[in-house]
Amino acid sequence: MGEKAYSDLYQIVRIVEEKKGQADLQEIGLLLNSQMRLRIVPKGERIFYMEDGKSLVYFVIRGSYINYRISRNGKMNNLGRSTAPVWSGVDRAVNASNINFTENKTLEECIVLEIKTAYFLEAVEHDGRFGLYMIKNTIDKMTDISEKSDRLLFYDANELFAYFIIKFWEDHHDAAGDCTIEMKNADLAEEAGISARSLYRILNAWRKEDLISVKKGNIAVSSGQINRLKERFDF
């Protein structure tokens, strides 16, 4: 397998990272080789399975999903939303004995690039640009985890929910600057890291202050409301 074959993956990554959720799938398709394939995952389904963990690495190039774990007695620990572009399975590719597997479920239709593990590792080794990109991606992921830990420790419920709303808006708002969060209240509270009681209190207060709106039972925010949230919480 020549150098050009290894660079195919890096070229795909560049397209996805530059255009985020608007990457041209036809352009990506021209760069696919026998070691990669694109897959569409409908809303509410799994992207990856434990049995595939050692043979595939996943690059979600469009959409979002949640990671969670379920205890033996049925309790769920929601580990949060992941929004494209995002990698999964890199840890197991590097260390096959790593069994730190989480359950997952798409929150919307996702488009996923499946990459054979052996090819992924060879691309890291042979294409320095891709290897450097993966180092940076890993560092960014570690920084995100550290910042999330700080937020849970230092922020109160209002600040946690404001941060969640602003980040969601940044990832999903339309051209007009509007965004609707189609999530159940229980999921909202889980993702924001606050209690259901705190969520209801915040929703009632913020609606009266026009910091958020409610459309068809879902939270909706405009660019103006986001600006007011940023000013209030100094984000």
Side-chain angles (χ1 to χ4, degrees):
M1 190 178 296
E3 182 180 351
K4 183 178 180 180
Y6 292 122
S7 69
D8 291 341
L9 182 53
Y10 178 68
Q11 295 304 323
I12 291 174
V13 165
R14 284 190 59 191
I15 293 170
V16 174
E17 293 289 352
E18 287 174 3
K19 300 181 179 179
K20 301 302 181 183
Q22 304 302 317
D24 187 336
L25 297 182
Q26 289 187 338
E27 186 178 3
I28 292 174
L30 294 174
L31 292 165
L32 295 178
N33 57 44
S34 61
Q35 307 299 307
M36 302 180 282
R37 72 161 184 161
L38 283 175
R39 181 164 63 94
I40 297 176
V41 184
K43 179 180 178 181
E45 295 191 8
R46 289 184 181 183
I47 293 178
F48 36 85
Y49 296 82
M50 182 178 291
E51 53 267 29
D52 297 329
K54 295 181 181 180
S55 60
L56 294 172
V57 173
Y58 304 87
F59 186 36
V60 182
I61 64 177
R62 188 176 296 176
S64 60
Y65 63 96
I66 59 170
N67 292 291
Y68 62 95
R69 288 195 179 93
I70 299 179
S71 68
R72 292 181 180 178
N73 59 4
K75 292 183 178 180
M76 187 178 85
N77 178 19
N78 188 333
L79 301 174
R81 171 190 294 259
S82 294
T83 301
V86 62
W87 290 87
S88 181
V90 174
D91 52 349
R92 294 185 297 278
V94 175
N95 180 7
S97 64
N98 189 323
I99 56 173
N100 184 31
F101 184 82
T102 59
E103 299 291 344
N104 60 96
K105 183 174 69 173
T106 56
L107 298 171
E108 57 190 310
E109 181 181 271
C110 290
I111 299 177
V112 184
L113 179 68
E114 293 183 346
I115 309 154
K116 291 183 180 179
T117 296
Y119 171 72
F120 171 84
L121 293 175
E122 289 167 1
V124 170
E125 180 181 357
H126 291 276
D127 190 330
R129 300 165 303 173
F130 182 64
L132 184 60
Y133 161 80
M134 289 307 305
I135 291 173
K136 181 179 182 300
N137 184 270
T138 300
I139 292 172
D140 289 344
K141 191 172 183 178
M142 293 172 64
T143 301
D144 288 343
I145 293 171
S146 176
E147 290 177 348
K148 181 178 180 180
S149 177
D150 284 346
R151 288 193 299 273
L152 291 173
L153 182 63
F154 301 132
Y155 284 11
D156 63 22
N158 283 276
E159 291 170 319
L160 285 170
F161 194 60
Y163 180 87
F164 168 77
I165 293 289
I166 292 169
K167 186 69 171 66
F168 190 98
W169 180 87
E170 289 174 345
D171 291 337
H172 295 89
H173 70 82
D174 60 23
D178 298 323
C179 177
T180 300
I181 306 176
E182 298 180 354
M183 295 175 61
K184 296 179 180 178
N185 284 343
D187 294 333
L188 279 172
E190 283 275 3
E191 287 214 36
I194 62 178
S195 68
R197 183 176 180 179
S198 294
L199 174 67
Y200 288 119
R201 175 178 53 79
I202 292 169
L203 292 179
N204 288 331
W206 287 11
R207 276 183 290 188
K208 293 177 182 178
E209 298 175 64
D210 194 32
L211 292 174
I212 60 170
S213 305
V214 176
K215 296 180 180 179
K216 297 181 180 180
N218 296 311
I219 295 174
V221 285
S222 65
S223 57
Q225 289 170 321
I226 288 295
N227 288 334
R228 289 197 291 277
L229 283 171
K230 288 180 178 180
E231 289 173 4
R232 171 171 294 191
F233 296 101
D234 196 26
F235 287 152

